[in-house]
Amino acid sequence: SPDKKLAFAWRKPDGDPTDQPDPYDDLELLIVRLSDGAILGKSKTGYWDTGEMHANRLREEVSWSPNSRFAVHAFHTRFETERFELFALGQGDTPATRVDLQKVVEPAVQAKLSKGDGTTFSVWDQKTLRVGNTGALRFIVMMWMPKEGPEKYFDVALNITRGKDGLKTSGLSIKKTKAPE
């Protein structure tokens, strides 16, 4: 994290961290407080890296807000984004709250396309994903048919707000755009 107090890590709950996991193992993605190792958030992942070996054709990216209170996680397989989520971190020992951004964004972007066009959802690379201190998000989504094309790009913006009932999304904006450079 920007404040150097938090980090993301992976683990196989019943395995040795130096062993290569089986592709079908249930791997956990954790948000860890570095000062004491406390786990503040948890999700799923398929990515792993032992320091000597790593998952092939899988990529995991995290973008943090400058104040380290929001983190956006994207897990990519070879042709698509399989997990896209936001973690809102509280103060002290408060566990992180998670929003499944893919459930919000993918159907809304699909609605901008022809029905049944067979495209897959991909959040463009980490360089285009921005999350602000207030929970404002902006990123590029690419919809495409793997190995065939065509690629269609969308500039997406939305806000995440904290309420008494948890996190809420609002202000979803989707506009066609050109391929990022």
Side-chain angles (χ1 to χ4, degrees):
S1 62
D3 65 7
K4 309 287 188 230
K5 294 180 181 178
L6 305 167
F8 276 84
W10 70 272
R11 76 172 176 193
K12 179 180 173 187
D14 59 348
D16 186 322
T18 60
D19 290 342
Q20 177 178 338
D22 184 278
Y24 302 103
D25 286 341
D26 287 327
L27 301 179
E28 294 177 336
L29 177 76
L30 309 172
I31 301 175
V32 180
R33 187 172 50 221
L34 296 174
S35 64
D36 61 1
I39 297 170
L40 301 179
K42 190 185 312 186
S43 186
K44 294 183 181 210
T45 188
Y47 185 80
W48 55 270
D49 187 333
T50 67
E52 295 183 15
M53 301 173 286
H54 60 86
N56 188 26
R57 296 186 180 193
L58 302 177
R59 193 180 56 184
E60 199 147 54
E61 296 177 326
V62 174
S63 294
W64 290 90
S65 63
N67 67 1
S68 303
R69 304 313 323 152
F70 294 99
V72 178
H73 165 247
F75 170 65
H76 310 279
T77 60
R78 183 175 181 193
F79 296 117
E80 65 188 308
T81 300
E82 282 196 9
R83 186 171 290 275
F84 185 48
E85 56 200 348
L86 175 131
F87 293 90
L89 292 120
Q91 300 294 328
D93 289 334
T94 306
T97 308
R98 188 180 78 81
V99 172
D100 186 341
L101 295 172
Q102 194 154 352
K103 284 185 179 177
V104 174
V105 176
E106 185 174 8
V109 174
Q110 283 284 2
K112 300 276 187 187
L113 302 170
S114 302
K115 294 195 185 293
D117 68 357
T119 58
T120 63
F121 174 82
S122 293
V123 176
W124 198 250
D125 67 21
Q126 186 176 11
K127 290 178 260 176
T128 66
L129 197 152
R130 302 280 182 258
V131 56
N133 288 340
T134 62
L137 293 171
R138 187 168 202 145
F139 50 93
I140 303 289
V141 167
M142 177 180 71
M143 301 297 287
W144 70 304
M145 293 180 13
K147 295 187 177 184
E148 294 181 25
E151 300 166 357
K152 296 175 184 165
Y153 295 89
F154 297 89
D155 185 5
V156 180
L158 75 146
N159 296 308
I160 305 294
T161 55
R162 298 177 199 252
K164 62 181 180 176
D165 297 330
L167 298 175
K168 297 186 187 234
T169 61
S170 64
L172 181 61
S173 166
I174 302 168
K175 298 176 184 168
K176 285 187 177 182
T177 191
K178 295 179 182 178
E181 294 182 14

